[in-house]
Each structure stands twice: as C-alpha cells, then as structure tokens.
Amino acid sequence: MKTELKTNLRAIWGRAYVRVVGAQREPSWILFEIMMPLLAVATYVFVYRALGAPKEFTGFVILGGIMTAYWLNVLWSMASQFYWEKETGNLELYLIAPISRMSILLGMALGGLFMSTTRAVVILLGGIWLFDVTMVPSSWPLLVLVFLLCMVALYGLGMLASSVFLMFGRDAWQISTLLQEPIYVFSGFYFPIKSFGFTLGTIASLIPLTLGIDAMRQLFFEAGRTHAFLPIGWEILILAVLSVVFLWLANKALLKMENLGKKEGRLTLRWQ
Amino acid sequence: MGLWRTIKTAGWLGWQIEANWAEPFTFIAYAITRPIFSTLILVLMYKVVAGGQISTALFAYIYLGNAFFMYTANVLAGVGIVIHEDRERYEMLKYIYLAPIVTYFYMLGRCIPKLVITTLAVIVTVVMGVWIFDLKLVFGHWPLMILSFPLGIIATIALGIALASLTLLTARHGFFMTEGTAGVFYLVSGAVFPIEVLPDWMEPAALAFPITYWLEALRRGMMAEPVSKIFASWSDEKLLLILAMTTLLSIVLSVLINRGIEYIARKQGKLDQVFNY
C-alpha cells in the first residue's frame, strides 16, 4: 500500500515535472504563450473603451484573460493530451506502467496549472500596469476559496474530457478548436453572464469557469456585484459540488474508456 | 506549370487534412460554429454596454471588421501549424523538403482550404448580421471593396507563410504562436475598434500593416458613414494605393523570411525535430 502510494506520487511528480521544466526550456514559449495572449486581451479592453464602457469593464476583460490561460490549458494540455500522447506513442507506456491513470492525469493537471499560472500572472500584472486597473479583492480568503474550487472543478472537467478524448481520432483537434470560443461566450469571459437570463445562465453554470469568473468578478469589482448572476455563497456551493462530481466522473470515465479502447484496439491507433 | 501543380496538390492535401475527418454536414457545422461564437462575444459585449441598441455605425464597424478579420485569423492559424503538423505529427516534412518543389508554394497551397472554409464562415456571419442583428449594408464604395479584397487576401497569405516559416525554429506550440500572432493583428489592425482608440505609440504599428488598410477599405465599401477619424479624410485611391504598397512589401518580407529561416533550420537540423513535452 505504502509502495503503491509512493509510486503514484512519483508518477504525479514525473508527469508534472516535464511541464514545469518544458515551460522554461523553450524561450519562444515564454513569448508566444505569455506575452501574446496579453495583447489579445488588450483588444477587448480597447473595444470597451471604444464603446465608452465604465472603467471596471476593463477589469472584467483582464479577469477573463487570466482565466483563458486556464481554459486553454485544460482544453489543449488536458482534454486532448491523451489523444496527443497516443499520436506520439507515449500512451502505451503510461498504460503498461504500474501506476493509476489518475496519477498521470493529476500530474498533467498540476504541471498545467503551473504553466497556466505563470501566464495568468503576466496577464494580471501586465493588465493592471498597462490599463491602470485596480484589482483588490473585498475578501482574500473568499477569493482563494473560489479560485481553488474553480480550478479543482475545471481540471476535473479536463480529466473527464481527457478520458473521452482517448477514444477520438483526428477529430480531437477539431473538437478542441470548436470548444474554445463557445466556452468564452457561455462562461462570460468578457461580459457578465447575467445578460443571458436565468435559464441559459443556469445551463452555462455547468461549466466551472462560469460561476468561478462571476464570483471573482463580484469579489474584485463593485460593478461585478451589480451584474452578478448568483450570490457568492451559492456559487461556492455549486463549485464544490461540481468539483466532486467531475473528479468522480473522470475516474469512472477513464476506466470505461480504457477498457473500451482495449476491446476495440484503438489505444495505439495513430493518424486516424 | 510545376508551381501550379505544387499549389494544387498542397491545396488538395490541406483540404483532406482539414475536412475528411467528418461527414460534410458535421464539417460545415464545425467550420461556421467557431466564427459565429467569436462574433457573439463582441455582440454581447456591445449589448451589455449599449443596453441592447445595436443598429449603430460603430456596431456595424465592429461586426464587419470582426467578420473579415476571420480571413487573417484562420489563414494564420491554418498555415501557421502546417510545419508542426507535417514535421511532428505526420513526420512528413523531411520528405516535402526532399521533393523537387518550392516549399513557399507548398505552404501557399496549404492556405487555400482555409480560405475556402473561411469564405463560408464570413458569408454566414455577414448574413447573420443582416438578418438577426439588423446590420445595414450600403455598397456606396463597391469598386474599392472589390479591388481591395484580393490584395488583403494576398497580404494575409504572405504574412501566414512568414509565420509558418518561423515555426521551423520553434518547439511544438504552433497553436499558441499562431493564435497569439493573430491576436496581435487583431489588436493593431483595428479590426474591432477604430485605431485612434489605441495609444499614440501603437498607431505607427497599426499603420504599418496591410490588414489595417484592407479592413478599412472593406468597411468603407459596405458602410454608409465612416467611423475611423484617421481614415475619414483619405480618398479611396489613397487607401487602395497604400494597401497595394504594403501588400507588396509583405510579399517581399515573407519571401525573405522564408528563405532565411529555411537556411537556418537546415543548418541547425530542425527539419525533422520532434518534441514530446
């Protein structure tokens, strides 16, 4: 039992390590993955400026920009990662190793969180500095709680998607691309989701980022409270439930998809 | 003849890679979903601030700019990942370099499927704007629109090939690189806001790229009144001339970048490197 735990902890660290080191080993990544998204965020800031929106909307955009780092990471480095590992021939190595598949996913998630956080911090600091936005939360403990719950639920969703993507062929790439903008819209990355109305907003709340962003917006900005979809307490509760549900589903789905993949002989298929 | 065959074959290959993973209906739904949602982000941002009133010149300016910018975003994203796909995913790049072809024209051919798919998305977006969002189009400067359209497409392809060439030297992160670069153009070209909103120090950058003039010419060709104060006093001829000059400059730079980067990549043995991060 103790050896098994130790092996799995080492697997988690091993999978996270390549991402932590990889993030620093390629200088071009720093430019393209950190600096460029900041410029993309700036575009939406200027749109609000052209529209004459209140200054707090600039803060909404920066917060949305920070969260895009995590969503893109979940989409491209979690959900589609097993598909990519299959393409590069690493997947079979993971499957024959004496470790839980969840350890691999957890390692990917932790490494990905590190990569995304470096990017998010640059967007935050760059955004505050360039656009002169004040972002001081009304409650630090609540902000940390909301952020952590949002991340657990989000990466739980990523793990779930990863097991589903295990079965995909070339369409995995297309589906990841397809999921990008719709989630930006439904999660209200750059505008309050209150504008959707209650029914659509409730459906959109199944995506952890929706309530996470709405809650953080309320904690950071007065206008965030004016445009809030739900009270923060409810959002924290729903995020906690989503965290448990997505992690549980991810574990179940991973086992099911792996078995299905073995039966159908799709775990080692490449370029299909 | 040989160059045309390269373009045609690369275009066909690109089309197969882009489209043959799904049934035609699924593929068309895929091709138009993403652009529609990227447009919806701006529509919802506008509605939140404007309180629902969308039939203004500024809304049309933002909407049309975003619609036509899809060409730039999609071609950059499409051709920008060609090198990484061919080199690391299909491991075929070295064979392409072994073939008796000019790789610049191979990459040009790979742009064509993206242009075709994007045209469909742009048409759907503009039609959606007219039907759903009450977008009013007035083709008062239609000759400008017709003449400027191909120039902007050529400039976009040239920029895309320059970007794809750069990926010969980078690790597997073409997606972020191309999306990031498209994001820079989205910002500096004033695709979704008049460029006078940019800080003064960024305006020269905006005026250096053909995409800025292209979008302005297309919008002028389709809108009743000008929105950008900087271009309001410019004649159609002046706009077209500067677009043509910056397009020509883009082609020259693109060819030079392509040749220079290929030389470095061969020297550093980058043509068949694979990353597994």
Side-chain angles (χ1 to χ4, degrees):
Chain A
M1 179 67 186
K2 199 179 166 186
T3 314
E4 198 180 326
L5 178 69
K6 208 171 158 186
T7 311
N8 278 295
L9 285 174
R10 287 173 72 178
I12 293 169
W13 170 239
R15 190 62 191 86
Y17 178 81
V18 285
R19 292 200 162 172
V20 174
V21 171
Q24 299 161 21
R25 197 167 278 173
E26 287 297 332
S28 57
W29 280 23
I30 295 166
L31 175 70
F32 289 111
E33 293 197 23
I34 296 178
M35 297 311 291
M36 296 293 192
L38 180 63
L39 296 176
V41 164
T43 304
Y44 289 117
V45 171
F46 288 121
V47 170
Y48 272 135
R49 285 193 180 173
L51 296 174
K55 202 173 177 185
E56 280 179 311
F57 279 68
T58 303
F60 288 7
V61 172
I62 292 168
L63 186 61
I66 290 166
M67 300 314 281
T68 57
Y70 295 100
W71 173 238
L72 289 178
N73 186 257
V74 163
L75 198 57
W76 292 100
S77 302
M78 285 294 295
S80 54
Q81 187 66 27
F82 269 172
Y83 159 73
W84 183 255
E85 304 282 13
K86 188 164 71 173
E87 291 282 294
T88 54
N90 279 342
L91 186 65
E92 50 257 54
L93 301 177
Y94 293 151
L95 296 179
I96 59 171
I99 47 169
S100 160
R101 317 293 180 248
M102 285 299 278
S103 301
I104 296 290
L105 285 175
L106 199 57
M108 270 161 43
L110 291 174
L113 256 173
F114 171 81
M115 284 168 76
S116 308
T117 302
T118 53
R119 190 172 158 183
V121 166
V122 173
I123 295 174
L124 174 68
L125 297 178
I128 289 173
W129 178 65
L130 283 173
F131 302 114
D132 190 26
V133 177
T134 309
M135 288 180 75
V136 181
S138 53
S139 164
W140 277 102
L142 272 181
L143 180 72
V144 172
L145 180 67
V146 166
F147 180 76
L148 288 179
L149 282 174
C150 182
M151 287 302 112
V152 173
L154 180 65
Y155 278 84
L157 177 66
M159 288 175 173
L160 173 64
S162 184
S163 50
V164 176
F165 272 55
L166 193 59
M167 299 301 291
F168 287 169
R170 280 192 297 131
D171 41 344
W173 181 267
Q174 318 284 355
I175 289 163
S176 284
T177 312
L178 188 62
L179 284 172
Q180 204 170 301
E181 268 78 10
I183 300 297
Y184 288 168
V185 172
F186 287 120
S187 290
F189 273 71
Y190 301 110
F191 54 84
I193 58 150
K194 197 181 178 184
S195 55
F196 286 158
F198 187 76
T199 311
L200 193 56
T202 305
I203 296 168
S205 300
L206 288 172
I207 308 157
L209 283 166
T210 309
L211 295 181
I213 292 173
D214 194 68
M216 283 188 262
R217 211 177 266 148
Q218 291 185 56
L219 289 166
F220 274 120
F221 310 106
E222 183 65 41
R225 288 187 275 283
T226 317
H227 293 280
F229 177 62
L230 288 175
I232 289 186
W234 278 103
E235 292 182 332
I236 289 173
L237 184 69
I238 296 169
L239 282 174
V241 172
L242 287 177
S243 302
V244 176
V245 169
F246 282 136
L247 286 174
W248 180 78
L249 278 176
N251 192 28
K252 291 281 172 199
L254 192 56
L255 285 173
K256 194 172 171 61
M257 291 301 172
E258 188 186 329
N259 286 333
L260 193 63
K262 280 177 182 170
K263 273 183 199 164
E264 295 181 359
R266 290 164 70 174
L267 291 181
T268 51
L269 271 183
R270 297 174 77 189
W271 306 318
Q272 296 294 314
Chain B
M1 188 64 191
L3 294 180
W4 170 240
R5 213 163 76 175
T6 304
I7 294 169
K8 203 171 73 172
T9 310
W12 176 84
L13 173 68
W15 178 256
Q16 294 301 316
I17 292 173
E18 286 282 339
N20 80 355
W21 58 275
E23 296 296 320
F25 180 76
T26 314
F27 177 71
I28 289 170
Y30 157 78
I32 61 173
T33 301
R34 194 179 177 202
I36 286 174
F37 275 92
S38 72
T39 306
L40 279 178
I41 294 174
L42 292 164
V43 171
L44 288 164
M45 284 171 73
Y46 192 94
K47 283 185 88 170
V48 167
V49 177
Q53 200 207 340
I54 52 174
S55 55
T56 63
L58 182 58
F59 177 76
Y61 186 90
I62 293 172
Y63 195 95
L64 289 173
N66 186 65
F68 284 101
F69 186 80
M70 284 178 204
Y71 279 108
T72 307
N74 289 354
V75 169
L76 287 187
V79 75
I81 60 164
V82 161
I83 295 295
H84 287 154
E85 269 198 340
D86 283 358
R87 184 175 62 189
E88 303 187 36
R89 195 169 175 198
Y90 301 114
E91 296 174 24
M92 292 295 291
L93 190 68
K94 48 186 173 285
Y95 302 112
I96 287 162
Y97 273 90
L98 278 174
I101 57 171
V102 180
T103 49
Y104 192 92
F105 288 96
Y106 168 76
M107 287 195 258
L108 196 157
R110 292 290 298 267
C111 291
I112 291 171
K114 275 287 173 192
L115 287 173
V116 173
I117 296 163
T118 307
T119 300
L120 178 68
V122 172
I123 291 170
V124 169
T125 306
V126 174
V127 169
M128 185 175 85
V130 173
W131 275 359
I132 301 173
F133 302 119
D134 196 24
L135 193 67
K136 293 198 171 41
L137 302 181
V138 180
F139 295 94
H141 298 256
W142 61 268
L144 174 68
M145 196 184 98
I146 289 171
L147 290 171
S148 61
F149 183 78
L151 286 173
I153 296 291
I154 292 167
T156 298
I157 292 173
L159 292 169
I161 296 175
L163 184 66
S165 306
L166 284 171
T167 62
L168 273 171
L169 301 180
T170 65
R172 178 181 68 85
H173 58 114
F175 172 79
F176 289 112
M177 181 174 171
T178 52
E179 289 276 317
T181 310
V184 174
F185 284 117
Y186 199 46
L187 172 68
V188 299
S189 68
V192 286
F193 52 81
I195 57 169
E196 55 265 25
V197 178
L198 288 168
D200 292 344
W201 58 270
M202 282 181 81
E203 269 182 30
L207 296 172
F209 291 107
I211 308 300
T212 310
Y213 305 106
W214 181 54
L215 293 174
E216 188 57 33
L218 291 175
R219 282 186 288 224
R220 185 180 288 193
M222 300 171 83
M223 286 174 60
E225 51 183 304
V227 171
S228 173
K229 288 177 191 136
I230 288 180
F231 294 113
S233 60
W234 286 32
S235 66
D236 290 2
E237 292 77 13
K238 184 180 173 184
L239 195 57
L240 195 63
L241 181 68
I242 294 186
L243 172 61
M245 282 164 61
T246 48
T247 300
L248 187 66
L249 194 63
S250 300
I251 297 169
V252 173
L253 276 175
S254 170
V255 172
L256 289 177
I257 289 172
N258 177 260
R259 290 199 178 166
I261 298 285
E262 270 189 10
Y263 174 76
I264 298 168
R266 281 176 197 271
K267 212 173 170 186
Q268 295 183 354
K270 300 266 187 188
L271 291 184
D272 64 346
Q273 70 176 358
V274 175
F275 290 87
N276 283 328
Y277 293 141

